[in-house]
Amino acid sequence: GGVVRICAERRNGSLLLGVSDNGPGLSQDSAQKKGIGLENTRARLQKLYGERSSLRAGNSSQGFSVELELPFLNDSLG
């Protein structure tokens, strides 16, 4: 069994989303490669939000993690 953590936080006008696990992470060879899925996602975020967004994925000290930052838009929270 492993542990998967999912978190969301609102900070400085941004929404931060994170998913991490405590697994072995990516091998050194896999970590060096750039996947088309992540690159397409980064390109779409850039087109939608410009510099106000980011996507980071990679090994962490406890496994593997992905962090997504988007502008927090609260138009519907009236």
Side-chain angles (χ1 to χ4, degrees), residues 1-75:
V3 175
V4 175
R5 289 192 171 92
I6 301 170
C7 63
E9 177 183 349
R10 188 173 153 188
R11 185 187 318 154
N12 299 328
S14 291
L15 176 62
L16 306 173
L17 302 171
V19 178
S20 62
D21 67 26
N22 66 344
L26 294 176
S27 68
Q28 188 70 3
D29 289 339
S30 294
Q32 300 287 330
K33 297 178 183 175
K34 293 191 177 212
I36 193 164
L38 288 176
E39 290 303 311
N40 283 345
T41 302
R42 284 187 181 101
R44 287 179 186 213
L45 289 171
Q46 178 70 29
K47 185 170 183 140
L48 287 170
Y49 304 112
E51 297 300 317
R52 300 181 307 158
S53 68
S54 66
L55 174 64
R56 294 175 293 281
N59 292 336
S60 68
S61 61
Q62 291 123 7
F64 188 81
S65 66
V66 176
E67 296 177 352
L68 177 63
E69 182 174 357
L70 302 167
F72 186 81
L73 306 173
N74 60 357
D75 293 340

